[in-house]
């Protein structure tokens, strides 16, 4: 009421916090004509019962080899901790050991099995903890498992020139737009050189390429250029990179350049000329003048209507 007071309760779910300090805002809207919105905030610090180092575990190695890693859990308050269980929730890796360390910390060892093909996997390591005050806690440690190819490409994925990239090419005298990718050896004993870079399945003159050596035998940069604006809405193709590594002789990346607006697909529910809004249209139906939408049961191929009990077919 005018001149009265009210109370708003703000709360933070600390189970979802991964950093010790939090700051949250809320906007209060009222019927106050001069100040209809007021921002209020809640902030503070969280004392975690346990801290993890590293906060996210990363396992990386060549595809076809096993990988191991460790994460250390330490008390975050004056409470003692005991790690009672650790589990990889998705089964992408396994816990091989839980070891108590001096000072009340614990070390959890993790191993990922070999993978036949390169790729990145995501795992969650869930750890159950018993605090010295008798309370039970759970914490989760994200795990990234990178089964690397002999020759890695960064960034991963396709080379994409979006409309906002190619729009500048409409201006006369504008500089070419470019995208860079790096190729590098995934292990110290792997050495390679780039022999050839080839553009496939693209019209001539759309893309250009350039190779730069960062460190001989270990790291290279391949640059793809688009120098002129095209009338086509989009152009797709492939970039083929040939190396002298006998076990990884070729790498391929998809190319995509977008220029104009992408044409919209016709709406299957669009009304035909002569039909009024709201008229029912059977999908795929195309009737001639005078033709009935319902098959005539008296004509060959016609479907008879359903029969009532005791009736015979016409």
């Amino acid at each position: 009421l005018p001149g009265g007071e009210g109370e708003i309760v703000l709360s933070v779910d600390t189970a979802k916090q991964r950093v010790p300090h939090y700051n949250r805002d809320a906007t209060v809207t009222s019927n106050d004509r001069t100040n209809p919105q007021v921002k209020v905030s809640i902030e503070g610090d969280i004392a975690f019962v346990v801290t993890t180092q590293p906060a996210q575990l990363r396992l990386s190695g060549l595809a076809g080899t096993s990988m191991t890693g460790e994460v250390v859990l330490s008390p975050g308050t004056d409470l003692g901790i005991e790690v009672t269980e650790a589990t990889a929730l998705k089964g992408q890796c396994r816990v091989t050991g839980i070891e108590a360390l001096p000072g009340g910390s614990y070390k959890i060892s993790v191993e990922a099995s070999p993978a036949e093909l390169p790729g990145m996997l995501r795992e969650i390591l869930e750890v159950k903890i018993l605090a010295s005050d008798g309370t039970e806690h759970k914490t989760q440690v994200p795990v990234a498992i990178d089964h690397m190819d002999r020759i890695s490409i960064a960034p991963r994925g396709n080379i994409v020139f979006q409309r906002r990239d190619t729009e500048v090419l409409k201006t006369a005298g504008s500089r070419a737009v470019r995208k860079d990718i790096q190729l590098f050896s995934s292990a110290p004993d792997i050495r390679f050189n780039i022999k050839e870079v080839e553009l496939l399945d693209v019209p001539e003159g759309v893309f250009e390429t350039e190779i730069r050596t960062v460190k001989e035998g270990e790291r290279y940069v391949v640059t793809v250029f688009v120098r002129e604006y095209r009338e086509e809405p989009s152009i797709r193709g492939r970039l083929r990179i040939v190396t002298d590594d006998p076990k990884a002789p070729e790498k391929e990346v998809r190319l995509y350049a977008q220029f104009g607006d992408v044409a919209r697909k016709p709406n299957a529910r669009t009304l035909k000329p002569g039909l009024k809004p709201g008229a029912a249209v059977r999908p795929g139906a195309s009737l001639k003048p005078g033709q009935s939408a319902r098959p005539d049961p008296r004509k060959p191929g016609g479907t008879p209507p359903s029969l009532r009990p005791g009736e015979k077919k016409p």
Side-chain angles (χ1 to χ4, degrees), residues 260-278:
D261 294 332
V262 178
R264 294 183 178 180
K265 295 182 179 180
N267 191 341
R269 311 187 84 177
T270 302
L271 296 178
K272 296 183 179 181
L275 290 179
K276 297 180 180 180

Side-chain angles (χ1 to χ4, degrees), residues 276-288:
K276 297 180 180 180
V281 180
R282 181 175 298 176
S286 178
L287 304 180
K288 298 179 181 180

Side-chain angles (χ1 to χ4, degrees), residues 138-153:
K138 287 182 181 180
T139 188
Q140 292 185 343
V141 182
V143 182
I145 307 172
D146 190 2
H147 297 278
M148 297 186 298
D149 201 351
R150 290 176 57 83
I151 300 175
S152 297
I153 297 180

Side-chain angles (χ1 to χ4, degrees), residues 151 183 192-198 211 239-245 248-252:
I151 300 175
L183 280 79
F192 75 100
N193 293 287
I194 295 179
K195 297 170 58 178
E196 181 186 1
V197 174
E198 184 180 6
I211 306 172
L239 179 68
R240 177 172 170 263
I241 304 171
V242 182
T243 77
D244 60 0
D245 186 338
E250 292 186 8
K251 307 290 289 185
E252 191 170 289

Side-chain angles (χ1 to χ4, degrees), residues 70-82:
E70 300 171 347
V71 59
V72 176
L73 281 72
S74 303
T77 65
D78 56 356
L79 294 174
I81 63 170
E82 178 187 353

